[in-house]
Amino acid sequence: MITIGIVDDHKMFLDGLISVFSSEPEFEIAFAENTAKDALSKIKAALPDIIITDISMPQMNGLEFIKILKKDYPEVKILVVSMFDNMQSIKHIDGFLLKETDKQQLINAVRGIVLRNEKHFNGTTTDHSSFEFSKTILSQREKEIIGLIAKEFTTDEIAVKLNISKNTIETHRKNIFFKLQVKNIAGLIYKAVYLGVIK
């Protein structure tokens, strides 16, 4: 029996994973939570064979969650299932799949990781100690917004210039900060220059 802990803040996707693994007799779901903090409160008692987690989550993001898991529960396998296809790592996790991955590929990946100690990655992997981001993870609109932020435009000014709502700009900003793993404007500019998004 392979025991699984699932963490994802999108209820529909979480329910889908529960359905997938509940229908297979060789799997047992130890817990299914929509935040990393809730998962951490369950993991000590449940201690699953593998954790399936997203990266983009409220309160504590997946990268922080993974660091804690690897420090406190190094024997637990980690499979990241995300919508972002430009993230690569082989040091801290055991697998990475896109959310569009089909059911059988997901099941096979979990089996391979737990039973055969395999690494399962979607696409090319490189030997980096942390998640790598390339500028292609950003949409064209996000790159435009980064450029305007770098020129010290306010959210209101960017909304007017791009003819979109302030709320839409705020959503883009949140996604940009998450994708580039930065916490403030200074960090955003530094990472954007490093990636060549702005000169």
Side-chain angles (χ1 to χ4, degrees), residues 37-78:
K37 287 187 175 181
D38 288 338
L40 286 173
S41 71
K42 299 282 184 68
I43 190 171
K44 187 173 182 180
L47 205 62
D49 296 309
I50 186 169
I51 297 282
I52 299 175
T53 182
D54 194 0
I55 291 295
S56 175
M57 293 185 291
Q59 299 179 30
M60 177 190 296
N61 68 43
L63 298 178
E64 295 172 289
F65 181 49
I66 288 166
K67 287 178 183 177
I68 293 171
L69 286 179
K70 279 297 150 188
K71 178 178 177 290
D72 296 341
Y73 308 98
E75 70 278 18
V76 175
K77 305 291 188 181
I78 300 173

Side-chain angles (χ1 to χ4, degrees), residues 121-143:
F121 288 86
N122 185 78
T124 305
T125 61
T126 52
D127 190 8
H128 288 269
S129 61
S130 61
F131 282 83
E132 291 286 320
F133 292 85
S134 77
K135 63 183 176 182
T136 57
I137 197 172
L138 298 165
S139 69
Q140 189 57 44
R141 177 65 84 188
E142 288 166 346
K143 292 176 186 176

Side-chain angles (χ1 to χ4, degrees), residues 74-143:
E75 70 278 18
V76 175
K77 305 291 188 181
I78 300 173
L79 172 62
V80 171
V81 180
S82 173
M83 66 179 183
F84 298 125
D85 62 357
N86 294 85
M87 296 185 295
Q88 305 169 24
S89 173
I90 62 172
K91 183 173 181 181
H92 294 307
I93 64 174
D94 301 282
F96 169 79
L97 297 173
L98 290 173
K99 283 193 170 181
E100 62 196 43
T101 299
D102 66 51
K103 171 183 173 181
Q104 197 55 52
Q105 186 180 356
L106 174 62
I107 289 172
N108 290 343
V110 172
R111 285 174 180 153
I113 290 167
V114 175
L115 300 178
R116 296 184 294 276
N117 203 33
E118 295 173 349
K119 302 287 186 182
H120 280 255
F121 288 86
N122 185 78
T124 305
T125 61
T126 52
D127 190 8
H128 288 269
S129 61
S130 61
F131 282 83
E132 291 286 320
F133 292 85
S134 77
K135 63 183 176 182
T136 57
I137 197 172
L138 298 165
S139 69
Q140 189 57 44
R141 177 65 84 188
E142 288 166 346
K143 292 176 186 176

Side-chain angles (χ1 to χ4, degrees), residues 143-184:
K143 292 176 186 176
E144 283 183 83
I145 291 170
I146 289 172
L148 292 170
I149 290 172
K151 293 175 181 176
E152 300 185 5
F153 279 70
T154 65
T155 297
D156 288 338
E157 289 169 339
I158 294 172
V160 171
K161 188 170 184 64
L162 298 181
N163 196 30
I164 53 182
S165 74
K166 181 179 176 180
N167 286 341
T168 299
I169 296 296
E170 291 292 353
T171 298
H172 280 305
R173 281 171 64 105
K174 180 180 177 182
N175 289 337
I176 290 165
F177 274 56
F178 165 71
K179 288 181 180 182
L180 297 183
Q181 293 183 46
V182 295
K183 297 179 180 179
N184 53 43

